[in-house]
Amino acid sequence: MYNNYFLCSSIGVLMSSDKEEDPDVIPEDSSLLTLQIRKKALEKREETIIVDRACRQETLAYEMESHAIGKRPDNPTDQVEEGELLLTLNIFYPVIFQKHKDHKPYQTILVLGSQKLTELRDSISCVSDLQIGGEFSSQPDQAPEHISKDLYKSAFFYFEGIFYNDRRYPECRDLSRTVIEWSQSHDRGYGNLQSVKMEDYTFNDLSLKIGFPYLFCHQGNCEHIIIITDIRLIHHDDCLDKNLYPVLIKKHWLCTRKCFVCKMYTARWVTNEDSLAPEDPCFFCDVCFRMLHYDAEGNKLGDFLAYPYVDPGIFN
Amino acid sequence: MTEVPGLQADCEELLGAFREADTVRFERFAELWRERRFHTVFYGRIRALERNKLTKKTLEVAQQYFLPPYTFQIRVGALYLLYGLYNTQLCQPKQKIRVALKDWPEIHKFQQDLIDSQHYDAAYIFRTLRLARAFHFTAMPKLLNYRTKKKFQESECKEEFKDPSNRVNSLITNDVLEELMNIHDHYQKMKCVISADKSQPDKALSLIKDDFVVTLKDITLEHQEWQQKRMKLFINAKETDEITNKKEERTFLESEGSERANALARIKYRSYSAVVEASKSRRHRQVKLESSESGSCYGKSPSKKNSRRPQPARRRDEVQVARETVTRHIGMPVIMEEDNSDEEGVSLPKRKRRC
């Protein structure tokens, strides 16, 4: 039998005996090509960089990636079981800006296999859910309390030929019915599309392809592509608190649109056909909007249409 | 994930040395590892986010050699390599080694082989890794990412096809300067015509600097000089880069072309300028140019901004500009330039041959 005692100290065998090494310093005489190249790259960066520290986007990205690692629940019954599956999903934003043609922004969510589809649906944050419908130029103080998320609760997922509709509330409708009827009306080659309830299924019940685009649709026409990038067994170092899942680990940073006047505050109003504004549409923060469009008594000045505006960067 | 440049070469070198040692003993591997001080492969001032990516990628590269179709000895070497990398990584918590579902039976068989052939050190190393929870058991071997191909190519090109971004020179070209000069002259003439004294314009009409075209030209030349200085610094830094001969030729060609275009621009505008200083300094620069061209001109001047245009088109453009200016130059009968035309003549055939 081999001498295991020797191997116990094998990690020490791999490291240098010199304990005072600083991992930030690349050794001068290294034979490794990786280090030579890295050294040049770092030196070049030193030459041009003005301030060498993590910008806030990087700090945010790192925090998001690592904030849930290793967490344990207070209550042992909330602990994730061994053998649980962990899925990594990329959920793409519905925006279609010109600059996003090649590289669509997305958020990354980790979800457990034993979780229901509705749990994922609830955790997806989309700016269209916060929209307030309606024109409010005549009564700017009466912005309604209901956001779109409360009004239009229907949503569905589409995985492998089956539509999983959210039917938890009486207001929810089967949005997929239109598609299914269309597909059945002629032989369109889509096979048999089915519609089932989202709340009855967990991820473990599904057959999924990795890297294949699926769909999430809510608000009637707000569509998000979903791609599953990884499925693996849960690991000791992962977050083991069931209540924290689904957990968001990556998000695209969207710049917020600022008020046209002060350029400081995020826009909360958008106007169309505004005789007082230089462009159409024009964005204003609350203060500037009222100062420009209403007099001291609150009377509407000039002609315009005003809508409450929710910026996509609100989730930053 | 972006590649870790040089890593594959280093891993292959180490595994190659292990193979030549013709053994599967861990002690021997450890010796080779220590010789190269391989644990330093993670060194360098890198922040946590980037370090995570880097380590993941490093483990991924090493893991490739652990599976078939590599030979038994290489696979054992890869096992030791993974063990070394996993334990000497600097991330906290440690990045894991991905094992796909389809590969697991194969790895299990491998472990069984190790035990059966009494390679207990390798088996022990594997068992240690398992106990340390070093593996992520995944459905697919590679983690998907969505870097579009375009981005990849751009960064590769940036590495090897550094383009001297002659944006100033492409804006202030021969034609532009000539046009400006013509307009300027015409303007001066018009001013004279409407002035009382026909030989010079009224003082009241002097609204612009008379010598602004010359000043513009000088500024352009200064920029050129500065770029060359930077390029020299960059060349010194880039000397150890691995660039194939073909690319060398191409970059040489391109830098020649753009250099020549600028040199000719300078020659041409000497005739518009009355400043003696400029001509002297230009001739001095001419000499410098030649020596830098004939020297180790492998590198490229660093581009200040990212050039988004596709590389081949740009090269063609610059070479064409050079060609055009050359033909025009040959037609210009200026005595001083004969020296230069000889130098140009010498390098011209060189260039043709490469074409």
Side-chain angles (χ1 to χ4, degrees):
Chain A
M1 196 61 177
Y2 199 85
N3 193 348
N4 289 342
Y5 149 74
F6 170 81
L7 285 166
C8 289
S9 58
S10 52
I11 298 173
V13 153
L14 295 171
M15 303 277 280
S16 153
S17 52
D18 180 10
K19 286 293 174 193
E20 284 96 47
E21 271 185 5
D22 179 7
D24 279 349
V25 175
I26 295 180
E28 283 295 325
D29 53 349
S30 178
S31 60
L32 296 174
L33 182 61
T34 318
L35 287 182
Q36 285 163 16
I37 296 178
R38 189 178 300 156
K39 189 166 189 193
K40 289 219 183 85
L42 286 175
E43 275 169 12
K44 187 174 159 201
R45 214 185 70 161
E46 289 280 311
E47 277 171 39
T48 51
I49 206 159
I50 302 170
V51 179
D52 193 6
R53 60 150 207 267
C55 63
R56 57 197 174 134
Q57 280 91 339
E58 188 183 327
T59 312
L60 176 72
Y62 179 68
E63 272 305 308
M64 292 202 87
E65 199 180 270
S66 49
H67 77 281
I69 289 179
K71 286 224 162 83
R72 298 288 182 266
D74 296 326
N75 191 345
T77 51
D78 290 336
Q79 175 137 334
V80 176
E81 280 156 20
E82 209 176 314
E84 178 75 81
L85 287 176
L86 188 71
L87 291 92
T88 313
L89 309 170
N90 282 357
I91 301 175
F92 288 79
Y93 289 80
V95 292
I96 311 186
F97 292 131
Q98 196 62 11
K99 66 181 175 179
H100 290 150
K101 260 203 300 196
D102 298 317
H103 185 60
K104 272 190 83 95
Y106 58 87
Q107 37 178 306
T108 308
I109 292 187
L110 296 177
V111 74
L112 296 171
S114 59
Q115 287 188 300
K116 293 199 217 153
L117 295 184
T118 42
E119 291 179 74
L120 175 66
R121 183 253 192 277
D122 291 334
S123 73
I124 296 177
S125 51
C126 174
V127 72
S128 62
D129 281 335
L130 302 173
Q131 302 286 11
I132 301 167
E135 203 274 313
F136 290 101
S137 55
S138 323
Q139 60 277 16
D141 297 321
Q142 286 174 30
E145 284 156 15
H146 296 296
I147 54 173
S148 297
K149 189 169 190 166
D150 302 328
L151 291 173
Y152 308 113
K153 293 203 174 89
S154 321
F156 69 77
F157 285 107
Y158 173 78
F159 293 117
E160 296 295 312
I162 303 175
F163 290 92
Y164 298 87
N165 282 279
D166 189 356
R167 305 306 287 269
R168 290 175 288 174
Y169 309 100
E171 300 97 7
C172 295
R173 304 187 308 158
D174 184 354
L175 295 174
S176 61
R177 201 162 49 115
T178 342
V179 182
I180 294 175
E181 281 170 6
W182 168 85
S183 139
Q184 286 171 345
S185 59
H186 300 286
D187 181 17
R188 309 222 189 231
Y190 285 106
N192 215 2
L193 296 175
Q194 295 167 44
S195 169
V196 298
K197 285 194 198 167
M198 199 196 277
E199 54 271 26
D200 293 342
Y201 289 82
T202 65
F203 280 95
N204 280 334
D205 302 325
L206 308 174
S207 338
L208 300 166
K209 295 187 195 146
I210 294 186
F212 190 85
Y214 296 115
L215 191 73
F216 170 63
C217 179
H218 65 139
Q219 298 291 322
N221 64 353
C222 184
E223 295 175 347
H224 301 251
I225 303 247
I226 298 187
I227 298 187
I228 300 164
T229 53
D230 191 26
I231 304 177
R232 63 173 174 81
L233 285 175
I234 199 85
H235 188 275
H236 181 262
D237 286 349
D238 291 324
C239 170
L240 296 181
D241 185 350
K242 266 193 224 170
N243 297 326
L244 292 176
Y245 284 97
V247 57
L248 184 65
I249 56 166
K250 181 172 172 178
K251 194 156 62 145
H252 189 87
W253 177 284
L254 290 164
C255 288
T256 56
R257 226 176 223 150
K258 303 287 191 285
C259 167
F260 182 81
V261 179
C262 62
K263 309 260 196 293
M264 267 199 334
Y265 292 105
T266 310
R268 295 230 349 250
W269 290 93
V270 60
T271 59
N272 289 116
E273 296 165 29
D274 192 347
S275 48
L276 300 163
E279 44 184 42
D280 193 323
C282 195
F283 298 90
F284 299 95
C285 69
D286 201 40
V287 174
C288 297
F289 173 69
R290 288 175 200 275
M291 277 206 314
L292 178 63
H293 295 95
Y294 302 92
D295 64 16
E297 278 89 50
N299 301 317
K300 178 172 166 179
L301 304 170
D303 252 333
F304 61 94
L305 301 168
Y307 305 92
Y309 174 74
V310 183
D311 194 274
I314 203 171
F315 294 114
N316 279 351
Chain B
M1 264 177 249
T2 48
E3 301 290 325
V4 180
L7 180 67
Q8 189 152 1
D10 286 332
C11 288
E12 285 181 352
E13 197 273 321
L14 177 56
L15 289 173
F18 184 63
R19 191 183 48 172
E20 263 164 55
D22 205 22
T23 172
V24 287
R25 295 279 74 81
F26 179 69
E27 301 165 295
R28 189 75 189 96
F29 182 85
E31 267 171 38
L32 295 168
W33 171 284
R34 267 201 311 277
E35 263 169 49
R36 287 153 184 76
R37 300 181 74 224
F38 214 84
H39 69 287
T40 60
V41 80
F42 296 112
Y43 280 19
R45 208 154 67 91
I46 312 168
R47 284 192 294 268
L49 190 67
E50 204 190 320
R51 174 167 282 136
N52 283 350
K53 275 196 209 156
L54 193 85
T55 310
K56 265 194 208 144
K57 191 64 194 177
T58 306
L59 289 172
E60 196 183 302
V61 169
Q63 188 244 15
Q64 289 173 317
Y65 300 99
F66 185 45
L67 300 166
Y70 292 100
T71 68
F72 183 77
Q73 205 195 5
I74 293 287
R75 291 177 70 184
V76 176
L79 172 63
Y80 295 151
L81 181 63
L82 281 170
Y83 178 72
L85 290 172
Y86 181 77
N87 282 305
T88 56
Q89 67 174 287
L90 301 167
C91 292
Q92 198 53 250
K94 290 202 190 301
Q95 297 297 327
K96 313 289 186 283
I97 304 166
R98 287 175 67 93
V99 174
L101 188 60
K102 65 175 172 71
D103 297 324
W104 190 246
E106 185 56 54
I107 291 172
H108 205 65
K109 192 159 88 71
F110 180 68
Q111 189 194 19
Q112 203 51 48
D113 284 342
L114 288 175
I115 294 174
D116 294 338
S117 347
Q118 299 188 341
H119 296 305
Y120 295 122
D121 50 356
Y124 183 81
I125 295 277
F126 183 72
R127 189 160 167 272
T128 316
L129 277 175
R130 290 266 341 247
L131 286 174
R133 301 192 177 97
F135 296 108
H136 265 166
F137 299 100
T138 66
M140 287 292 157
K142 279 206 177 158
L143 186 61
L144 284 181
N145 68 341
Y146 286 89
R147 280 271 163 80
T148 55
K149 285 233 167 101
K150 241 192 197 171
K151 269 210 170 159
F152 260 129
Q153 277 170 5
E154 268 196 36
S155 53
E156 259 188 86
C157 284
K158 258 189 251 155
E159 281 293 313
E160 291 159 35
F161 293 103
K162 287 282 184 180
D163 215 8
S165 76
N166 279 320
R167 284 179 182 227
V168 174
N169 289 311
S170 58
L171 179 67
I172 318 281
T173 59
N174 297 350
D175 292 353
V176 167
L177 281 174
E178 195 173 322
E179 191 70 27
L180 278 174
M181 206 65 216
N182 287 339
I183 295 173
H184 189 65
D185 284 349
H186 193 64
Y187 176 63
Q188 296 290 78
K189 285 196 195 108
M190 288 303 289
K191 282 201 285 190
C192 288
V193 163
I194 62 171
S195 306
D197 174 6
K198 297 295 173 186
S199 62
Q200 67 176 33
D202 273 344
K203 286 279 155 60
L205 291 173
S206 62
L207 295 164
I208 62 165
K209 290 202 177 123
D210 284 349
D211 57 351
F212 97 94
V213 181
V214 175
T215 315
L216 183 62
K217 180 177 56 69
D218 286 343
I219 291 171
T220 321
L221 293 176
E222 261 178 67
H223 174 80
Q224 176 74 11
E225 202 183 17
W226 170 81
Q227 260 209 334
Q228 280 173 1
K229 282 200 189 124
R230 274 197 79 190
M231 189 166 86
K232 283 216 180 77
L233 277 171
F234 195 77
I235 290 169
N236 292 338
K238 267 223 143 193
E239 263 165 36
T240 57
D241 266 13
E242 287 169 17
I243 303 173
T244 63
N245 283 339
K246 203 175 180 196
K247 284 174 194 168
E248 268 171 35
E249 272 182 50
R250 276 217 214 124
T251 57
F252 191 73
L253 178 64
E254 187 184 12
S255 63
E256 256 193 341
S258 57
E259 239 64 286
R260 192 165 297 113
N262 298 320
L264 289 165
R266 267 176 261 138
I267 297 165
K268 195 164 187 188
Y269 287 98
R270 239 199 303 170
S271 48
Y272 288 100
S273 153
V275 179
V276 175
E277 251 180 356
S279 69
K280 267 199 203 147
S281 58
R282 238 179 288 121
R283 272 217 287 171
H284 177 63
R285 234 175 264 131
Q286 283 289 323
V287 173
K288 254 201 208 165
L289 264 180
E290 277 304 309
S291 64
S292 79
E293 277 177 356
S294 53
S296 59
C297 187
Y298 298 134
K300 313 287 289 143
S301 67
S303 43
K304 277 202 303 196
K305 294 183 197 162
N306 297 339
S307 164
R308 292 207 179 265
R309 284 166 64 195
Q311 297 298 98
R314 227 193 128 102
R315 244 178 270 131
R316 257 183 270 124
D317 282 349
E318 292 206 19
V319 169
Q320 268 169 14
V321 164
R323 284 212 191 100
E324 281 168 15
T325 50
V326 164
T327 45
R328 256 187 275 144
H329 156 68
I330 288 172
M332 275 174 70
V334 181
I335 300 168
M336 295 276 260
E337 271 129 298
E338 256 168 56
D339 297 329
N340 299 330
S341 74
D342 280 345
E343 289 167 348
E344 298 300 325
V346 163
S347 30
L348 249 181
K350 234 202 281 173
R351 212 176 98 227
K352 279 198 180 133
R353 244 186 276 128
R354 282 172 209 241
C355 295

